[in-house]
Amino acid sequence: MLNYTYEELIKHFKDILKKNSLKYTKQREVILEILYKYNKHFTPEELYMQIKNEYPKLNIGIATIYRTLNLLEESKMITSISFGQLGKKYEIAIKPHHDHLICDMCGTIIEFEDEQIENRQLEIAKKYHFLIKSHSLQLHGICKECRKKLKYS
Amino acid sequence: MLNYTYEELIKHFKDILKKNSLKYTKQREVILEILYKYNKHFTPEELYMQIKNEYPKLNIGIATIYRTLNLLEESKMITSISFGQLGKKYEIAIKPHHDHLICDMCGTIIEFEDEQIENRQLEIAKKYHFLIKSHSLQLHGICKECRKKLKYS
DNA sequence: TTGCCTGCAAATCCTTTGCATACTG
DNA sequence: CAGTATGCAAAGGATTTGCAGGCAA
């Protein structure tokens, strides 16, 4: 699924830090590790909880989570999507580009890729003389499991 | 562009209010009127300013703006899109469905519709046994005008 | 007249910032 | 050792809520 090993990811991160005279700290390492390991979307708060759980001895503040997420996003190592009221979620950015199906009942996120849609987007941009830097496609609705639950209730 | 007249819109709104034992007030009317008249995206703050401008005598608080926008969104009379750090913007929902090209330099929003993408989305949903309720497609980048500015600077 | 709506201000929630201390390179 | 990073608490900004008075039905 992921096209980098953890070691390659860390190496890439260290390179970015070096280029910007920034430092490699335990906190930054752990944040990246959790995002890599679980390979799913986290809110800052969820990430904070997970770290508290797995590394109870590590002293880390929520401010560091926010600062590090911003740093990682600027460095394009992670990406974020907005969920309206639900806030912002982050995920590791080393997967091929993909879009999201989001279940409004249980919050499950299904990822998909579709070349046809990607190509069509380029044509649309061309028509408006628009230079696309990124895009975000979210399909909201009800997932397979929740549809079953609805049927039986 | 819009497929309802203002009168039809107000009638529809009054129907919704009546069904829910809610009341038709000057504040609610003005908010809807501005959204209809300008037919563009507003943040709650921008909407508040615009109303203060056009109706200086009308006493209205920002809390009412928020409450009314939430009400209108629940009633599907308006829709919102998220702009990450930049907050949430609302627009009247009585146009045919469309997606957005967003210029990250000047904030301009271009609307477009594309049947091919819509159809493809349905196929994807089918594949995952997912029931689509809505979707949101945003292409971020740099618009025609800003690209010119970049060239000459 | 009833009970929903409103403005106001206070309260919340999420995120960022200032500062003194701790740590990396 | 210099300069960056951290935790903590305070500050900030956006949105929501409680309340007493105002207004629509």
Side-chain angles (χ1 to χ4, degrees):
Chain A
M1 181 76 196
L2 294 172
N3 36 15
Y4 285 79
T5 63
Y6 184 56
E7 286 67 33
E8 287 167 339
L9 180 73
I10 294 297
K11 183 173 177 310
H12 179 205
F13 186 38
K14 284 187 177 171
D15 284 351
I16 289 171
L17 294 176
K18 192 170 291 174
K19 277 202 195 91
N20 297 281
S21 316
L22 302 175
K23 300 184 174 184
Y24 187 69
T25 66
K26 187 66 187 167
Q27 286 83 349
R28 288 176 175 171
E29 179 191 316
V30 164
I31 289 169
L32 200 49
E33 189 217 308
I34 297 283
L35 287 170
Y36 179 87
K37 188 162 77 178
Y38 291 98
N39 184 25
K40 68 175 193 100
H41 297 81
F42 282 93
T43 62
E45 190 65 27
E46 287 164 355
L47 193 50
Y48 181 61
M49 293 310 197
Q50 191 65 37
I51 291 171
K52 285 282 180 193
N53 249 319
E54 296 195 23
Y55 298 89
K57 288 177 201 150
L58 178 67
N59 201 10
I60 190 171
I62 190 79
T64 297
I65 306 279
Y66 278 101
R67 281 188 281 232
T68 303
L69 288 174
N70 287 339
L71 168 64
L72 289 171
E73 190 169 26
E74 279 167 36
S75 317
K76 316 257 191 219
M77 296 201 61
I78 62 175
T79 57
S80 68
I81 50 177
S82 282
F83 284 79
Q85 303 298 48
L86 300 163
K88 220 172 167 186
K89 289 192 171 191
Y90 296 86
E91 69 171 337
I92 202 98
I94 55 173
K95 316 181 220 183
H97 177 77
H98 57 270
D99 295 305
H100 300 105
L101 280 157
I102 300 166
C103 177
D104 291 332
M105 281 187 65
C106 67
T108 293
I109 300 171
I110 302 170
E111 297 174 350
F112 69 91
E113 300 165 53
D114 192 83
E115 207 185 324
Q116 226 172 296
I117 289 182
E118 307 278 322
N119 290 338
R120 190 70 190 135
Q121 288 176 1
L122 294 179
E123 285 175 40
I124 291 164
K126 200 168 164 188
K127 175 172 160 196
Y128 291 100
H129 304 277
F130 195 94
L131 178 65
I132 294 186
K133 293 277 189 183
S134 68
H135 75 264
S136 135
L137 171 58
Q138 298 173 27
L139 307 181
H140 284 264
I142 302 176
C143 73
K144 189 177 175 180
E145 296 310 313
C146 288
R147 291 176 73 181
K148 274 190 207 158
K149 281 180 212 147
L150 282 181
K151 241 181 244 170
Y152 300 139
S153 65
Chain B
M1 182 77 197
L2 295 171
N3 35 16
Y4 285 80
T5 63
Y6 184 59
E7 286 67 34
E8 287 168 339
L9 181 72
I10 295 296
K11 183 172 177 308
H12 180 205
F13 186 39
K14 285 186 176 170
D15 284 350
I16 290 171
L17 293 175
K18 191 169 291 176
K19 277 202 194 92
N20 296 280
S21 316
L22 302 176
K23 301 185 173 181
Y24 187 69
T25 66
K26 187 67 185 166
Q27 286 84 347
R28 288 177 175 171
E29 179 191 316
V30 165
I31 289 169
L32 200 48
E33 188 216 310
I34 298 282
L35 287 170
Y36 178 88
K37 187 162 74 178
Y38 291 99
N39 185 24
K40 68 175 192 101
H41 297 80
F42 283 93
T43 60
E45 189 65 28
E46 287 164 356
L47 193 50
Y48 182 60
M49 293 311 197
Q50 191 65 37
I51 291 170
K52 284 282 178 194
N53 249 318
E54 297 195 24
Y55 298 89
K57 289 177 199 150
L58 177 66
N59 201 10
I60 190 171
I62 190 79
T64 297
I65 306 278
Y66 278 101
R67 281 188 281 233
T68 304
L69 288 174
N70 287 338
L71 168 64
L72 289 171
E73 190 169 25
E74 279 167 36
S75 316
K76 316 257 190 219
M77 295 200 61
I78 62 176
T79 57
S80 67
I81 50 177
S82 282
F83 284 78
Q85 303 299 49
L86 300 163
K88 222 171 166 184
K89 289 192 170 190
Y90 295 85
E91 69 171 337
I92 202 101
I94 54 173
K95 316 183 221 184
H97 178 77
H98 57 271
D99 295 304
H100 299 104
L101 280 158
I102 300 166
C103 177
D104 293 331
M105 281 186 67
C106 68
T108 293
I109 300 171
I110 302 170
E111 298 174 348
F112 69 91
E113 301 165 53
D114 192 83
E115 207 186 323
Q116 224 172 297
I117 290 182
E118 308 276 323
N119 289 338
R120 190 70 191 134
Q121 288 175 2
L122 294 179
E123 285 174 39
I124 291 164
K126 200 168 165 188
K127 175 172 160 195
Y128 292 100
H129 303 276
F130 194 95
L131 178 66
I132 293 187
K133 293 279 190 182
S134 67
H135 76 264
S136 135
L137 170 58
Q138 299 173 26
L139 307 181
H140 284 265
I142 303 176
C143 73
K144 189 176 174 181
E145 295 310 313
C146 288
R147 291 176 75 181
K148 273 190 207 159
K149 281 180 211 147
L150 282 181
K151 242 180 243 171
Y152 300 140
S153 63

